[in-house]
Amino acid sequence: MDRRAIRRRFDRLAEEVRAYAPKADMELLERAFHQSLAWRGAHKCEHPEAYLLHALDVAGLVARLRMDMNSLVAALLHDVLEFGLAEKRDVEERFGPETALLVDAVATLSRHRFRSRRRAEQVQSFRKMFLAMAKDIRVLLIKMADRLDLMRHLDRHCEPDDRRHLARETWDIYAALARRLGIRWIQSELEDLSLRELEAEEYVRVADYVEVQRRERQSHVDGMVRDLEELMRENGVQAVVQGRKKSLASILEKMKRKTLDVDQLYDIFAYRIIVKNLEQCYRALGLVHSRWRPISGMFEDYVATPKPNGYQSLHTVVVGSYGERAEVQIRTEEMNDIAENGMAAHWRYKEQGSGRPAGRNEEAHVVPWLRELMAVQHQRENQEEFLDALRLDVFSDYVFVFSPGGDVHEMPLGSTPVDFAFSVHTQVGLHCSGAKVGGQMVPLRHELKNGDVVEILTNKNQHPKKEWLEFAKTNRARNKIRHAIRAEERERSKVIGRELCEREFKRLGLNFNRMAKQGELDRHLSDLKARDLDELFIHLVRGNLTVRHLLKRVAPEKTAELEKAEKPEEPEAPKFVRKGGAKRSRSGLRISGLDDVMVRFAKCCNPIQGDPVVGFITRGRGVTVHRADCRKIPKDERERFIDVDWDLNETCEMPIRIRVVSIDRPGLFAALSAVFTSHGINIISARADSDDEKAIATFLLKVENLAHFDKIRRQLLRVKGVQQVRRMA
């Protein structure tokens, strides 16, 4: 293409910019055009005209979003840093620091891939993108325009394998972000272009069918448009009426969701009525419903309850003029602009309303989900948690629920009352004890639906539980729950770590508390990589450090004497010891010297009240209680054992698995079940098999204690045909 054709392309761009920004600095845009051409020519890059045409097309897409001059200049120069045609300082000297930052950020995004096989690289790429978005979301809009133009000309630049790779990335990342930002026309085209590569055969089949339908039914569409225009005009409603075919991506998605073939679809075409104000929206809706019969259950009011990206419109489906279903969307001009251009439209209306240009961080008020997402950057989340946050808070559908006061809350599909509680306030979430939906009590794992009115019940003694993570959906809720659980575990670790030190120091005749108070341990903290004693206790419980290692530094001579006196053979597990000074725990146990310690029961031996037990301080998980004869106890870590005893004043039902061997006969299983029923036993699960005239049944039960189990065992042995009743691990 010659220079005159390139110039004509730029003139069309300049004309479009003048149309929406008459006072724009066109001299600056002209200078950016010439500088872009000069940098490409100076470096003798291959096909400079093709790259300049791409830059002009990207700038044209940015102009369609009606963005500011810095964005337009950055679009013209968006790839000069990526291809080494200029340095950041060159851009800054000629066009200012703001434009240079935009160009540099776009180049940084272009260097990152989102489909790396290495998890760490994938996470880093996402972090870079969302960090750039948080600083200035115009970076993402320019990059989306760049990707859209690339996808339009994919066959020119890429091999088939690369095309599929880019199409998958475009569908998963850029189209999803366009939807989240509410830029409908970019979203639709990116999705269509992606599916053209990813599902080529189905795409062509549906595209051909839709084109045939368009030709055959165009007269019906035109007739329905005329009828709508006439209806509005006769009733004094100023309106623009449009008839359009839906995007191929939305048609394919509906076919998959409803398991339909293309010839079963009835709403390939839709109609849009654009009116002047909100009052006319509802008036137009009434007129449509009075003229054509509405389909029950097919009305959505997104005006009263906007979508998370700001989309507002009335949607209804009626039986149209030609006896076929017709979807009608009704919205104001402003709503239509926001529906098509999303974030960019929000900026314009903010500017018009405030009398000042939108600031660089104005988008923080329009996309609160982005602010929530970036909060993850400041907390110690692992890679999986960060990717979960992206999938849930960016790439997912949403529901809208209400507080009793009428406030609207947007949350990902599948959210629960726990998610709602944290969306109201962190403290409400932390002390959430129950919930009502529509005035009825529901479980905390209840899945919320559009329009639910949710009331959260709180209790100051309630704290987040680990099982909440199994059903919490939002990044905010999961993040706060994890943080609260970790904080609680840290506090418990401090208590357990101190107990370990006190006990082991005492064995050597040392007083740990006195030594700590006198500062005798402080000089060793830095070598042990601990800032203070609390961090030292946490290291001990997590297994990063042993008390023996600490003792070797504090009292090396006494520690050496102890090690010499100890027998070299493998030590036995500590015996079950009763200590009257032990304190009560919520678990029905008394833990030596500790109060309210996090306790879990080992699944390898399933101890129940009355069994001789020992406690083992598990790294990061509190105290694990084993039966004293359990073979799974790590016997080579004596210092991590702690004395525990059952609190006989507390009744605590515990699970136990038993195996019943008997002669196979009719009615046997019913007889066994009758024994459990007579003792008020809750059977969690049961399984029965027969072999060689023998029946083997296993039951998972809940019993109160060892004596309770012995009574059940004796009664089971009295059942006719039962030969053996044995407790299983």
Side-chain angles (χ1 to χ4, degrees):
M1 186 178 285
D2 59 25
R3 295 293 181 92
R4 284 179 297 181
I6 292 175
R7 180 69 210 190
R8 285 196 297 272
R9 184 75 65 87
F10 174 76
D11 288 342
R12 286 199 298 271
L13 169 66
E15 186 178 346
E16 186 173 357
V17 173
R18 287 193 194 95
Y20 75 82
K23 297 181 180 179
D25 186 353
M26 300 308 297
E27 183 183 346
L28 178 62
L29 190 67
E30 179 95 22
R31 193 152 47 86
F33 167 67
H34 288 294
Q35 187 61 63
S36 177
L37 190 58
W39 274 331
R40 296 174 201 285
H43 284 75
K44 298 180 180 179
C45 68
E46 190 176 357
H47 307 302
E49 291 86 357
Y51 284 105
L52 185 57
L53 282 173
H54 167 67
L56 283 166
D57 287 342
V58 172
L61 293 169
V62 170
R64 184 173 170 182
L65 290 168
R66 303 183 190 179
M67 294 178 67
D68 64 307
M69 185 55 68
N70 282 321
S71 301
L72 291 163
V73 172
L76 282 173
L77 305 173
H78 76 275
D79 54 1
V80 297
L81 301 188
E82 180 185 353
F83 295 129
L85 307 179
E87 299 291 334
K88 182 181 177 181
R89 63 175 178 272
D90 299 326
V91 179
E92 186 169 348
E93 286 172 2
R94 290 168 173 79
F95 302 102
E98 188 171 339
T99 299
L101 284 171
L102 289 173
V103 175
D104 182 55
V106 172
T108 301
L109 286 185
S110 298
R111 287 192 289 268
H112 285 279
R113 312 302 297 174
F114 299 100
R115 304 203 62 80
S116 169
R117 292 182 179 180
R118 295 180 58 187
R119 201 69 162 168
E121 290 179 3
Q122 190 182 30
V123 172
Q124 189 60 26
S125 296
F126 275 117
R127 288 186 188 277
K128 290 285 186 181
M129 166 174 274
F130 284 94
L131 190 60
M133 286 169 60
K135 289 180 179 177
D136 196 326
I137 207 163
R138 291 176 297 177
V139 173
L140 177 63
L141 299 179
I142 296 169
K143 183 60 188 172
M144 281 200 298
D146 172 49
R147 177 54 62 97
L148 177 53
D149 191 65
L150 174 63
M151 292 298 293
R152 284 175 172 177
H153 307 102
L154 206 54
D155 53 344
R156 297 183 194 172
H157 308 296
C158 301
E159 295 299 321
D161 288 346
D162 291 335
R163 294 210 303 260
R164 285 190 60 82
H165 175 91
L166 285 168
R168 173 53 61 191
E169 183 178 89
T170 299
W171 176 273
D172 288 345
I173 309 301
Y174 292 101
L177 284 168
R179 181 181 68 248
R180 198 69 175 89
L181 293 173
I183 310 175
R184 178 78 180 188
W185 62 273
I186 290 183
Q187 172 205 337
S188 295
E189 191 170 354
L190 286 176
E191 288 177 343
D192 282 0
L193 292 169
S194 299
L195 287 176
R196 189 174 66 182
E197 297 295 331
L198 298 173
E199 300 180 20
E201 290 185 8
E202 185 70 356
Y203 179 90
V204 170
R205 187 175 76 90
V206 173
D208 289 345
Y209 177 84
V210 170
E211 180 57 26
V212 170
Q213 290 293 304
R214 186 192 66 77
R215 290 196 300 266
E216 292 180 351
R217 297 170 59 189
Q218 189 62 51
S219 60
H220 289 189
V221 173
D222 293 342
M224 186 70 181
V225 168
R226 286 194 300 271
D227 290 345
L228 284 166
E229 287 176 336
E230 183 180 354
L231 178 66
M232 297 298 119
R233 186 170 56 253
E234 289 176 349
N235 289 276
V237 176
Q238 287 183 278
V240 174
V241 180
Q242 303 168 345
R244 62 181 182 87
K245 64 180 176 59
K246 293 187 175 181
S247 72
L248 291 175
S250 66
I251 293 172
L252 283 165
E253 189 275 332
K254 187 170 186 176
M255 289 169 58
K256 290 178 182 177
R257 189 177 72 249
K258 297 194 173 183
T259 320
L260 301 173
D261 200 358
V262 66
D263 57 3
Q264 296 175 289
L265 293 173
Y266 61 84
D267 54 351
I268 293 174
F269 300 92
Y271 303 90
R272 184 173 297 158
I273 302 174
I274 303 172
V275 297
K276 291 296 183 181
N277 54 51
L278 182 61
E279 185 271 333
Q280 288 187 342
C281 278
Y282 289 98
R283 188 177 176 199
L285 176 68
L287 292 171
V288 170
H289 282 181
S290 65
R291 175 73 176 272
W292 294 283
R293 179 172 61 85
I295 305 298
S296 177
M298 303 292 285
F299 171 69
E300 296 285 352
D301 187 346
Y302 296 115
V303 173
T305 309
K307 290 186 177 182
N309 55 27
Y311 176 90
Q312 289 183 290
S313 186
L314 300 175
H315 289 197
T316 187
V317 178
V318 299
V319 179
S321 300
Y322 299 89
E324 54 196 17
R325 291 189 178 190
E327 180 183 332
V328 181
Q329 301 171 357
I330 306 170
R331 59 184 68 154
T332 65
E333 293 173 350
E334 180 178 334
M335 291 174 192
N336 190 59
D337 191 8
I338 292 172
E340 292 300 309
N341 297 307
M343 176 60 62
H346 276 294
W347 283 336
R348 289 198 298 281
Y349 290 111
K350 276 181 172 290
E351 183 175 347
Q352 293 167 8
S354 64
R356 60 177 176 79
R360 286 184 57 187
N361 290 320
E362 193 75 12
E363 66 273 9
H365 302 289
V366 186
V367 280
W369 57 269
L370 176 59
R371 191 170 63 250
E372 289 285 343
L373 183 66
M374 294 314 299
V376 179
Q377 304 293 323
H378 305 296
Q379 306 203 22
R380 297 180 181 179
E381 300 290 342
N382 62 33
Q383 295 176 3
E384 292 296 330
E385 290 170 1
F386 182 72
L387 289 180
D388 284 345
L390 294 182
R391 285 192 293 270
L392 292 170
D393 282 2
V394 181
F395 309 122
S396 67
D397 293 323
Y398 275 65
V399 294
F400 305 91
V401 296
F402 299 86
S403 69
D407 295 329
V408 181
H409 293 255
E410 57 173 88
M411 288 178 292
L413 196 66
S415 291
T416 66
V418 167
D419 299 296
F420 179 83
F422 279 102
S423 76
V424 173
H425 195 279
T426 298
Q427 290 302 315
V428 175
L430 293 176
H431 301 295
C432 171
S433 60
K436 291 182 179 180
V437 172
Q440 301 294 318
M441 289 295 298
V442 296
L444 290 180
R445 61 173 63 245
H446 173 81
E447 193 170 304
L448 300 177
K449 297 179 178 59
N450 270 321
D452 280 347
V453 178
V454 187
E455 179 185 355
I456 299 298
L457 309 177
T458 59
N459 185 321
K460 64 180 181 180
N461 296 319
Q462 177 69 51
H463 301 285
K465 300 176 181 177
K466 277 189 177 179
E467 53 263 34
W468 289 7
L469 292 172
E470 297 173 6
F471 51 80
K473 293 291 182 183
T474 62
N475 173 45
R476 176 183 176 85
R478 295 176 67 82
N479 205 28
K480 297 293 184 182
I481 292 166
R482 288 190 189 104
H483 182 75
I485 289 172
R486 287 168 185 162
E488 189 173 0
E489 287 180 352
R490 281 178 64 88
E491 292 305 312
R492 285 172 168 165
S493 293
K494 292 174 189 177
V495 175
I496 295 171
R498 179 177 287 275
E499 159 69 13
L500 279 172
C501 291
E502 290 174 352
R503 189 182 64 193
E504 292 301 308
F505 272 59
K506 187 176 181 180
R507 290 180 63 201
L508 295 182
L510 302 173
N511 188 314
F512 173 81
N513 290 323
R514 186 174 64 239
M515 294 176 71
K517 189 174 182 179
Q518 293 175 353
E520 296 180 37
L521 303 175
D522 293 348
R523 58 192 177 94
H524 301 288
L525 291 176
S526 130
D527 292 337
L528 298 172
K529 298 181 180 179
R531 291 189 300 268
D532 51 30
L533 283 177
D534 284 343
E535 190 168 8
L536 177 70
F537 298 147
I538 292 168
H539 285 334
L540 289 171
V541 173
R542 289 180 177 173
N544 302 330
L545 177 69
T546 65
V547 181
R548 185 63 57 90
H549 186 66
L550 173 62
L551 285 167
K552 283 181 179 179
R553 290 182 173 274
V554 176
E557 299 84 2
K558 289 193 175 187
T559 306
E561 291 176 8
L562 177 63
E563 289 179 343
K564 187 176 180 180
E566 286 180 339
K567 295 181 180 180
E569 63 268 13
E570 181 181 307
E572 296 180 358
K575 301 299 182 184
F576 176 63
V577 180
R578 296 183 180 275
K579 292 187 67 173
K583 299 180 183 179
R584 179 178 300 180
S585 166
R586 296 181 193 175
S587 60
L589 288 164
R590 289 195 296 267
I591 310 297
S592 176
L594 303 178
D595 184 25
D596 195 21
V597 178
M598 181 171 55
V599 173
R600 55 191 294 269
F601 293 93
K603 293 183 179 179
C604 53
C605 55
N606 283 336
I608 61 175
Q609 192 178 71
D611 282 329
V613 287
V614 293
F616 183 79
I617 298 174
T618 310
R619 292 167 185 171
R621 302 183 70 179
V623 175
T624 301
V625 178
H626 292 261
R627 284 161 58 181
D629 59 354
C630 179
R631 297 179 181 179
K632 297 288 186 179
I633 302 175
K635 298 181 176 64
D636 57 345
E637 298 184 63
R638 292 178 59 88
E639 64 192 40
R640 303 181 76 82
F641 286 109
I642 191 166
D643 294 332
V644 297
D645 191 8
W646 295 105
D647 185 351
L648 300 180
N649 294 320
E650 296 243 345
T651 300
C652 188
E653 284 194 340
M654 315 276 308
I656 184 172
R657 191 178 298 277
I658 66 171
R659 183 173 186 263
V660 180
V661 180
S662 59
I663 298 170
D664 195 9
R665 67 175 179 83
L668 174 65
F669 201 81
L672 297 177
S673 299
V675 173
F676 300 134
T677 302
S678 68
H679 284 271
I681 294 296
N682 179 25
I683 302 176
I684 301 171
S685 65
R687 177 179 174 177
D689 299 294
S690 60
D691 185 27
D692 295 333
E693 298 184 350
K694 279 193 176 182
I696 301 174
T698 58
F699 297 91
L700 182 61
L701 316 168
K702 277 194 174 181
V703 299
E704 294 177 1
N705 50 44
L706 189 59
H708 190 198
F709 167 65
D710 284 339
K711 287 180 183 178
I712 297 165
R713 180 177 175 275
R714 288 195 298 271
Q715 190 164 340
L716 287 171
L717 287 170
R718 295 192 193 106
V719 174
K720 182 181 177 181
V722 173
Q723 298 173 335
Q724 182 188 71
V725 178
R726 185 168 62 85
R727 181 177 171 187
M728 302 172 66

